[in-house]
Amino acid sequence: MILCAATVLGATLLALPLVQPQRDGTVPSPGQVARISGTVTIGIDDPQPVRRAIVSALGRSRGLSFDALTDEMGRFDLHGLPAGKYSVTVARPPHVGVAFGASRPGWPGTPIDLAPGEHVDGVQLRLVSGAVLTGTVRDEAGRPLPEVEVWVERRDATGTFARGSTAATDADGIYRAFGLPAGYYRVSARPNGSGMELHVSSDADNDAALRILESGGRQWPSGRVTSSTSEGAGRAGVVPVYHPAAVLPEDARPIILSAGEEASGVDVELRPRTSPLVSGQLVSSLPIPLTNAFLTLTRFGSSVGSASARTSGEGAFSFGRVPPGRYFVLGRVMRPERLSSLLSPGAVPTVTSWGPEPCGVVAYEIELGESDIPPLQLGVEPCFRVIASIENIGNLPESDAPLTVSLGVVAEAGGLGRSRVFTASLGSPEAPQIELAGGGELVPGKYYLDAVISAPHSREWVIDSASVDGRDILDDAQLFGRSAGDVLVKVTVSKRATLLSGVLETGDARPAPDYTIVAFPAERSYWQGTFRRVRITRPSTSGHFELTGLPAGEYFLAAVRDVAPDEWRDPAFLEEIAPMALKVSITVGSTNHQRIRITHGRQ
Amino acid sequence: MLRTPRLISLLRRVVFVAAVAATGVAGPHRIDAGQPTQPAVGAISGVVSDGVSGRPLLGAVVSLADGRVKVSVHATADSRGRFVFMGLPPSDGYSMSVRRPGYRASDLAVRPPYVLGAALRLRAGEWLRDLPVAMWPLGSITGTVLDEKGEPLVGVPVRVLAALAVAGTTRWAAGPGTRTDDRGTYRIGGLQEGAYVVGVPAVQLLVPASISPSAAAGLPEPALGSTASRPPASGGLTIDTPEGPAVLVIGRYPAPTVAEDGSLLILPPTFYPGVTAFPLATPIDLAEGEHRRSVDFRLQSVPARTVSGRVLGLGTSNRLVARLLPESALGLGAGSEQATGVIAPDGRFTFIGVPDGRYVIDVSAGQSELALGSPHLPGTAGMVGDRYLTFFPTGMGDAYYRTHYLATQNGLVGRQSVEVGASSVRDVTITMTPGAGLSGAVVGEGGQPVADPRVSVEPADADPSRGGQALSRQAGTFAVAGLHEGEYWLRVTATRLRVKSITYRGQDFSNRPFRVQLGDDLSGVQVVMTDEYATLKGVVSAADATTAQVASVVIFPAEPSGWTRFGLTPTRIKTAVVLAGQEYQFAGLPAGDYLVAAVDHSHQYAWQDPRFFPAIAQSAARVTLSWGGTVTQPLSVQTVRLK
């Protein structure tokens, strides 16, 4: 038994004692099912029972899920559970649930250990009042706009905004987003016809046009079709607008919400904005028809396309009017084999199946200001395929469930191509090689391989390596494309999964379930990419924790309170906790058990 | 008691257009340049206004396009509602649409190139001026949903059923829906004038414990729109039933409550003003642009009884679902059930949460419904995933008939009535029997098989309780199975071909539906397609300045038997929107005797109303069309009064 010192850091923002659920002392019999019961309340100073809440227990090992409803007194009873570890959560709109053992909504909780036939009673679950964001969307004349979609985005620990919820404005132009966890938000209104190039006509414009027509003329001196009288004036794009009236997301006024707060007056003024027209032409020396190529314009740092376009016969395209910013133009050029038969009004037929070679990809970065840019000339590069071959070292499992490997290709920088997850089953000789991506699914760039062994074999089997031309791409992104030929990835798996387990205790040898264990490599160069060597876990109610499948190497092991979701992906955070962590060594196939006692803390 | 839904009155629009004409605003008309040196371009201008108040609509977006002459422009209307496009190349095929939030798209909205005769034609040097574009404000219904203790029910679905004139009768179609917010408040917007029933669906979804809960993922649900955020999926509540343990899926509908004795109390489906039987609902007659408030609900929990039993003769179906519907709700589509349950492999099923009443248990591979709104073009049909859809136009906008396939189609159907009283019902037996089927070949006039025909069947009365549009096809043949008894039209389309004849046992079914019973197997149906079809065209003139300037030309069968029960996409009824003075054209018509008339464009879809054809037949022109022939028939716009 090894007792090691570990230091705790981190601020506890909600100082709630973790009430240990009571065990009834029943001697468990093999094969008996277990129970979890308790209450759900809301409010800290004067907790009130909550009826009709849905309490869910998710089994950690087999993924089984069980629900129960609370009664008039807020009590719940989850019964019929097989033995194992369970994460317990609660949902009751419009409130926000806090997982059992978590200090705040959205953070991981403490799993409950259940022995066969055991009854764990006294589990207390909390709800926190959801916050509300409401406001009015108006046009430039101040008139409310109904039926406009509003996006509410919340910032996560890495600083990225993700869409939390959407709402639509009512007849009075008012939207309401509710049940929001506390946090940092931005709001945008998304009008119909985004990207459309719109000519905003004034009374004077139309007066002048009608005078020309009455006198027998039929066109403007400039030859333009619409009623704009001066070059560039009145030509605008229908673009999303951020509260209160910003075109660029970085200019949005943020809203900071506390639990249960209602922020009103979060208004958006929606008007067509002067924005550059993005159009151009594809050029290619490859024998590929340039018709019907599908292109997307994706804002740098976003995973969602801002606009899309299809090329016409000579490869010409237009994205319409787009807000200023930095973008990727991405797309693929292939020979369509079959087009959809059901069409929306004015829509171009969608391709439902593609022909084989030839195939081309388009990948460019552009920077847009407010002025129009000259038409783009974009060259088309040949497509490449990513083909994986999987080899196993060792005997395949005897159980009925085949050993499956999930492989995905992950771009190094956001927005530069898609990640496709492919699940391959070992032991099928008819598929010795698997095509992970092909036909222009990826654009040239740097990629990692994301590879995991699927349950139930993930405890014993592990991905040993994945390499391209002898270079590892599990930890080190590799450049794909920019040259003809396929990318061959060799993946090896073996039955040599590591196991790092242990018990976390307080200074007086009691279980310490309200901490988070963070395991991360001592080698700093691994603190990037897919972060596959960084793991976090919460000890269960008995203090036990387990981490399987960590690659061999030297690791830090730290016990920390209050780790926000994704905070462990921040190298600065890892650097801060490294000096206070335990060092462990993991070798291939090793089983490593640690008993860790927390000796002192630091805020 | 639910009275027969009132058909939409369109008289107001006729009066409006006539009044505008009478006050001296010149209707749309053409002006030629007159100067031989003028450029060969033209102009289109007009005014966008609110169809109810008449006020101009500043900011309405007017879009004009014609791909053939490479024009695609969008401009906003000014403070007087005016828009002007100049420098336009001449063309026969301009399409114009107008959009403004809170309004239905303009009546001049046209969809190229599929709606024949609806495009705007502009000649060289011409100015098509003063186009009157009326936009009709959309209305809404709002209210709150509380439980019996007065607490708001959050995130529960609320949806409307709309009275829809279709196939010469009136049916209730699934309309838009939403979910309640944190105050229990809902708002259903985007509603046109019409009659609506507002309801809170509450379907108890049960999955046997031996089956993965993911089987519930395929169970049909009412469409609630993208912004009605769905509660997160959960594993479900384990329930002990007479047929064994099962999982009650919770989160999609109002959750049950747990009584003191641990039993479940459920909130049943409820219709405004608070009834659980659909025929007792009070419809809301919404006027154009009306915002009706305080359409509130106070749901009452009821004890949950079970209905259980076994399905015999399932055959090779997989993942079949049994639906328990109130008798009056058969045909109302997804969300109208009292309960649904996934059938266990041994055929056992259980429904829970069933209050007193009379029900029908439906076990069929396909579940059909009528629904409003679609992004697709009217007249198209096809398979999208596990759903077969047929789109058609109506006075409430585009609608569709959708059949959702819940399992592999093996042509078997099963229905059983059951009455539930004070206690649970057990040992209900449902025996699957073969539905009706049609099969045959699709050939050209020379006898060669037609490649890739699109075949479907449509219930003649558009009744969704008749079931699916099951079909399969291979190289010029087709087979349709699993139909409930009734009358069905067989529809066949192929690229550039039209149906010339549908023959079965020496009789022609191209102009009448098939009548089938359960177990019928009509094989050897011969469909002959032709590329020679009839064309009818002519110029529409307005009688005088008080007559409408925008007309709808409608062509329909001369025989009165063709005026009702014509299914969803009748081949011998067509409409086209034209301006007075312009030419209409219908191509692709089958040969036969027809009546054709021009009426105010606001009646464009009134042909779905059984009163319409009798009202205009007397003054319509009679034409006889032959295969490959063209007939010219001038028309003048007539006034219609629907009694």
Side-chain angles (χ1 to χ4, degrees), chain A residues 71-73 75, chain B residues 258-263 265:
Chain A
D71 63 12
E72 298 296 310
M73 301 306 298
R75 293 180 302 227
Chain B
V258 179
E260 286 287 334
D261 61 358
S263 62
L265 297 171

Side-chain angles (χ1 to χ4, degrees), chain A residues 44 55 132 185 191 197 203 215 255 279 297 301-302 305 332 334 337 353 369 399 413 444 459 529 554 601:
Chain A
I44 296 176
V55 178
V132 173
Y185 288 87
E197 180 178 347
D203 286 10
S215 67
I255 305 107
S279 63
L297 189 68
S302 165
R332 58 182 183 173
M334 300 180 76
E337 275 200 331
S353 75
S399 75
R459 285 180 63 86
E554 298 295 310

Side-chain angles (χ1 to χ4, degrees), chain B residues 105-120:
Chain B
S106 154
D107 286 300
L108 268 182
V110 291
R111 302 173 185 87
Y114 302 95
V115 181
L116 301 169
L120 295 174

Side-chain angles (χ1 to χ4, degrees), chain B residues 69-314:
Chain B
V69 293
K70 294 191 174 17
V71 169
S72 175
V73 282
H74 314 276
T76 61
D78 67 12
S79 71
R80 291 160 61 182
R82 300 174 305 177
F83 61 90
V84 182
F85 298 105
M86 300 204 290
L88 295 169
S91 169
D92 282 346
Y94 279 107
S95 68
M96 191 169 79
S97 66
V98 187
R99 303 260 180 276
R100 195 179 191 277
Y103 284 82
R104 187 155 45 116
S106 154
D107 286 300
L108 268 182
V110 291
R111 302 173 185 87
Y114 302 95
V115 181
L116 301 169
L120 295 174
R121 192 196 332 137
L122 189 71
R123 293 187 286 258
E126 186 176 17
W127 175 17
L128 190 57
R129 66 180 292 178
D130 299 322
L131 282 181
V133 178
M135 298 198 78
W136 305 98
L138 296 167
S140 67
I141 296 174
T142 57
T144 54
V145 183
L146 306 176
D147 67 9
E148 60 264 299
K149 293 199 181 227
E151 279 184 25
L153 284 167
V154 181
V156 302
V158 183
R159 61 100 174 246
V160 295
L161 292 161
L164 189 69
V166 58
T169 183
T170 306
R171 302 219 168 266
W172 291 97
T178 187
R179 289 189 181 267
T180 53
D181 67 13
D182 58 312
R183 303 160 297 182
T185 301
Y186 71 90
R187 180 185 168 268
I188 300 173
L191 298 176
Q192 301 181 28
E193 179 188 22
Y196 297 91
V197 168
V198 187
V200 178
V203 185
Q204 307 304 321
L205 312 178
L206 205 65
V207 182
S210 57
I211 296 178
S212 161
S214 63
L219 296 175
E221 292 176 29
L224 296 178
S226 62
T227 55
S229 53
R230 206 155 173 276
S234 64
L237 216 54
T238 304
I239 307 257
D240 286 320
T241 77
E243 306 297 334
V247 175
L248 178 67
V249 176
I250 50 179
R252 297 186 198 182
Y253 296 105
T257 48
V258 179
E260 286 287 334
D261 61 358
S263 62
L264 276 185
L265 297 171
I266 63 116
L267 291 168
T270 307
F271 302 95
Y272 183 77
V275 297
T276 54
F278 179 72
L280 300 178
T282 301
I284 295 186
D285 287 322
L286 206 64
E288 205 86 62
E290 181 187 353
H291 301 287
R292 186 76 65 93
R293 302 183 198 271
S294 303
V295 181
D296 301 328
F297 290 80
R298 187 116 176 193
L299 304 189
Q300 301 291 331
S301 295
V302 297
R305 298 191 189 85
T306 61
V307 173
S308 58
R310 203 158 171 207
V311 180
L312 304 176
L314 272 174

